[in-house]
Amino acid sequence: QPGDGEGLGRPVGDIPPGQGSVLLEEIKATAAGTAAGTSVDLARLGVQVFSCGAVGDDALGDLLLALLDKEGVDTRHVLRKPGQRTSATILPIRPNGERPALHAPGAPPLSEPGLPPGALSARRGGDEPPVLHTGGPDAPGPFAGEPLQVLARAAKDRGFLVTLDVLRAGDTSTFDRLRPLLADCDWFMPNEDQLRQFTGETDLGKAIAAARAAGAARVAVTRGADGCSLDWGDGVLDVPAIDVPVIDTTGCGDAFDAGFITALLTGGDYEQAAWLAAACGPLVATGRGSGARLPRRGARPHPPQT
């Protein structure tokens, strides 16, 4: 999915009553979400990325595609849906970096089955397989069921690695709907709260085991200040979080996904992938907005914003 247009403002301590107003330090527009945010971060890390899915034919869709194009994401396979709006999210960033989300869904659930000719036939150079990353399949809509499962199976049949991250915390009924897709998933990559609510298990170890029992071959769970945990069947790995001055936690999970996928694409093992992912997430938290502070491959990172 091409993702959301996202507007963030910081710092927001309180919403003023009535028609009151408050001055903010910054208001910023970004391409974000479990698909677009990861796509942007992958492009910054030097990975060739194309995005597919649907956006509306509105001005926000124009902006979202322009933001993706600017980051080097190939948007030729994105569909414009006449008369539909583009998904959008408003994020009021609290002084401590937390960010509640105000979301208006749009065109992504109307994505069409399959991909344009040639999209799945493109193979990377080298020995590592290409990756199909699915962002937000828990969102309801006609594409999120069988059409997406068919797409994942087609990718697997062509030797792709399939990764999956979810948009929001759900419940066991949502998880049941995802089970057929998990069967073709090489890495399921939710956060800790999402995994617990999906599986109904409060114990993290049992929640990971439930996800693997549901069909996920491997599970990588982000745990905020507690780092991340991986289970790939033959081993379990816990990687601690890196302590950083937090400005904004927007997009940390997307950066984790991008770091993890990048390591796998460049021949890293699971432990190396976990450490790169665990570095990318906190790095984004030191800036403002999805993908902030993540340097382009080969560029020197700037010092954290204060």
Side-chain angles (χ1 to χ4, degrees), residues 1-6 30-44 49-55 64 67-68 71 73-75 78 87 89 103 108-109 111 131-139 143 148 151 163-168 189 194 251 253-258 261 290-291:
Q1 297 289 348
D4 296 351
E6 184 177 84
T30 64
T34 51
T38 303
S39 295
V40 167
D41 294 344
L42 282 166
R44 291 189 178 187
V49 184
F50 71 82
S51 178
C52 61
V55 299
L64 176 57
L67 290 169
L68 290 171
E71 294 288 351
V73 177
D74 186 339
T75 61
V78 175
S87 293
T89 302
H103 180 67
S111 299
V131 173
L132 173 69
H133 179 70
T134 302
D138 51 314
F143 183 71
L148 186 54
L151 173 60
T163 59
L164 186 157
D165 196 358
V166 290
L167 185 62
R168 57 179 67 89
M189 309 172 77
Q194 291 167 335
D254 303 331
F256 175 93
D257 292 353
I261 292 169
S290 182

Side-chain angles (χ1 to χ4, degrees), residues 213-277:
R218 306 170 189 87
V219 181
V221 185
T222 54
R223 304 180 60 198
D226 293 323
C228 66
S229 296
L230 272 64
D231 184 336
W232 59 89
D234 294 330
V236 177
L237 175 69
D238 295 321
V239 172
I242 299 173
D243 188 21
V244 297
V246 176
I247 299 297
D248 175 14
T249 58
T250 302
C252 290
D254 303 331
F256 175 93
D257 292 353
F260 196 88
I261 292 169
T262 298
L264 296 180
L265 286 172
T266 52
D269 59 27
Y270 299 154
E271 183 172 0
Q272 291 169 330
W275 279 104
L276 179 58

